[in-house]
Amino acid sequence: MKNLTKVTGFILISLSDHPNNLHLLFVVFFLIYVLTVIINFLIIIFIFTDSRLHNTPMYFFLGNLAFLDMSYSSVTAPRMLFDLSTQHWSMSFPDCIAQIFFVIYFGSSEVFLLSSMSYDRYVAICHPLHYSQVMSWGTCTQIVSLVWSSGLLAPIICTLLLKRLTFCGPNFIHNFFCDLPHLLKISCTDTSINVLVVVIVGVLLGTVAFVATFYPYVRIFSAVLKIRTVDGKRKAFSTCTSHLTVVFIFYASVTFIYYVPNTSNLLTLNQVVTVIYTLITPLLNPLIYSLRNKDLKAALRRTLHVDRKIPVNVRGNKAQSLFRRIQFRRLHLSFP
């Protein structure tokens, strides 16, 4: 069907109508976005420059997660900050489609990456003796390549189906960025096919990713419960706490945004959850991992040279230099 789009752009609904609130929101969201980029970028630098980290599969996946969070936040935050500063909330149709594509792409890729991280924890806890063989460098790169390529399926299907829709107005999107559910809601074309395809793709990919994420933890918990010592159980569970926290926040936000009806009563709550999902979660993920991870803290200390212990040979050289200067001064003072 030929694209008969009559609306060339869309008007995004601001988070607030009061100018003072807009300035405050700009400052808050700007700080959140800058911190998100800086923290995720530092984690990537720490992991891929520290030989103790980038050779470990868990941190290899964590580096990709940090890049995904930074990229996902960069799809929505800069445009929202621009709109807050200029109070110009319009967006063209191609820009809207592009934003939807990358939002779905980075979100889908993160779903598969979280599943891969679950498998990594399963092998590390349930098969520790074979961990280095199973999770080799070649296997990890293949898994990550599959993650990035599999994430393309959902956005390609969803955005291609948008070409069959016509937008006649009103062209108001009740969100601070172009999102697929809100765009389908304002179309004057029958969107039943789009909704059906979105539900099918979401259920299939979501079910596969959900099972791949949580089934390894069923095996992990059964293996951990067999450990006799309390300290052993605590150490085993501590390696999974950060990942489970990130998974819970991610799935809870996605479920509410895409599978809870956008009624007028839940409109404000939906916007709040969207802010948490698009801005807060990419900042929380690296903090959750870094604050509970001794290896990342050690890498931070090594990078910032916090641990300034002088090597033995350096101490010896400094001591010899100081001894020579003292001897020279003694000789100099002994002559009139």
Side-chain angles (χ1 to χ4, degrees):
M1 180 178 179
K2 186 178 180 181
N3 186 9
L4 301 175
T5 301
K6 297 180 181 180
V7 173
T8 59
F10 303 97
I11 305 298
L12 305 177
I13 302 300
S14 172
L15 296 174
S16 176
D17 296 329
H18 200 282
N20 293 332
N21 292 339
L22 293 179
H23 296 319
L24 178 61
L25 289 174
F26 175 83
V27 174
V28 173
F29 292 153
F30 176 77
L31 293 176
I32 292 175
Y33 175 65
V34 170
L35 286 175
T36 300
V37 173
I38 291 175
I39 294 175
N40 281 288
F41 183 74
L42 287 177
I43 287 181
I44 294 173
I45 294 298
F46 294 156
I47 291 175
F48 288 97
T49 58
D50 195 305
S51 59
R52 306 180 188 182
L53 297 181
H54 69 251
N55 290 325
T56 305
M58 182 180 70
Y59 296 108
F60 178 69
F61 293 134
L62 181 57
N64 281 270
L65 179 63
F67 183 79
L68 273 175
D69 286 332
M70 186 170 58
S71 302
Y72 186 88
S73 182
S74 298
V75 173
T76 58
R79 181 55 192 252
M80 181 191 63
L81 293 173
F82 173 79
D83 292 336
L84 285 172
S85 61
T86 61
Q87 298 185 17
H88 181 73
W89 294 92
S90 63
M91 180 177 288
S92 65
F93 184 76
D95 291 343
C96 185
I97 300 301
Q99 194 173 57
I100 289 175
F101 178 88
F102 285 107
V103 165
I104 299 177
Y105 174 56
F106 290 127
S108 302
S109 299
E110 186 162 341
V111 168
F112 294 121
L113 184 62
L114 292 175
S115 303
S116 304
M117 297 174 75
S118 295
Y119 178 72
D120 172 72
R121 292 298 84 206
Y122 161 73
V123 177
I125 294 175
C126 298
H127 304 283
L129 299 179
H130 303 283
Y131 180 74
S132 59
Q133 298 177 354
V134 176
M135 301 300 296
S136 62
W137 176 255
T139 302
C140 292
T141 53
Q142 290 176 2
I143 291 175
V144 170
S145 300
L146 183 62
V147 165
W148 285 97
S149 58
S150 300
L152 288 170
L153 179 62
I156 289 177
I157 294 176
C158 293
T159 53
L160 284 178
L161 285 174
L162 290 176
K163 291 185 176 182
R164 61 177 295 273
L165 301 182
T166 302
F167 299 92
C168 318
N171 60 341
F172 293 96
I173 296 178
H174 292 273
N175 208 343
F176 59 91
F177 71 97
C178 269
D179 201 7
L180 184 60
H182 295 87
L183 190 64
L184 295 178
K185 191 175 181 180
I186 64 174
S187 175
C188 53
T189 309
D190 183 18
T191 60
S192 57
I193 297 178
N194 296 71
V195 173
L196 179 62
V197 172
V198 169
V199 171
I200 292 175
V201 172
V203 169
L204 289 178
L205 296 182
T207 302
V208 171
F210 185 85
V211 173
T213 302
F214 288 98
Y215 177 73
Y217 277 104
V218 176
R219 304 290 301 272
I220 289 173
F221 290 150
S222 61
V224 171
L225 292 176
K226 296 178 182 179
I227 300 177
R228 297 181 179 180
T229 62
V230 177
D231 187 60
K233 292 180 179 180
R234 182 184 58 81
K235 290 181 179 179
F237 277 122
S238 64
T239 61
C240 306
T241 305
S242 300
H243 181 251
L244 281 175
T245 305
V246 171
V247 168
F248 175 78
I249 295 174
F250 180 85
Y251 273 95
S253 303
V254 171
T255 301
F256 187 89
I257 293 172
Y258 289 99
Y259 295 100
V260 174
N262 293 321
T263 61
S264 58
N265 297 329
L266 297 176
L267 185 60
T268 303
L269 183 59
N270 184 273
Q271 288 182 337
V272 173
V273 175
T274 304
V275 170
I276 294 175
Y277 174 61
T278 57
L279 295 176
I280 308 299
T281 301
L283 176 62
L284 287 179
N285 288 351
L287 292 177
I288 292 171
Y289 273 102
S290 59
L291 293 177
R292 296 181 55 88
N293 196 294
K294 296 180 180 179
D295 294 333
L296 282 177
K297 292 178 182 178
L300 176 62
R301 287 194 296 267
R302 288 192 296 269
T303 302
L304 299 179
H305 303 287
V306 175
D307 190 7
R308 297 181 178 275
K309 294 181 180 180
I310 302 174
V312 177
N313 57 341
V314 175
R315 290 201 301 266
N317 293 336
K318 289 187 176 182
Q320 292 177 4
S321 177
L322 180 61
F323 177 76
R324 291 173 182 173
R325 279 183 289 178
I326 294 174
Q327 290 294 104
F328 175 79
R329 289 179 181 178
R330 287 180 179 178
L331 291 173
H332 178 73
L333 292 175
S334 64
F335 288 93

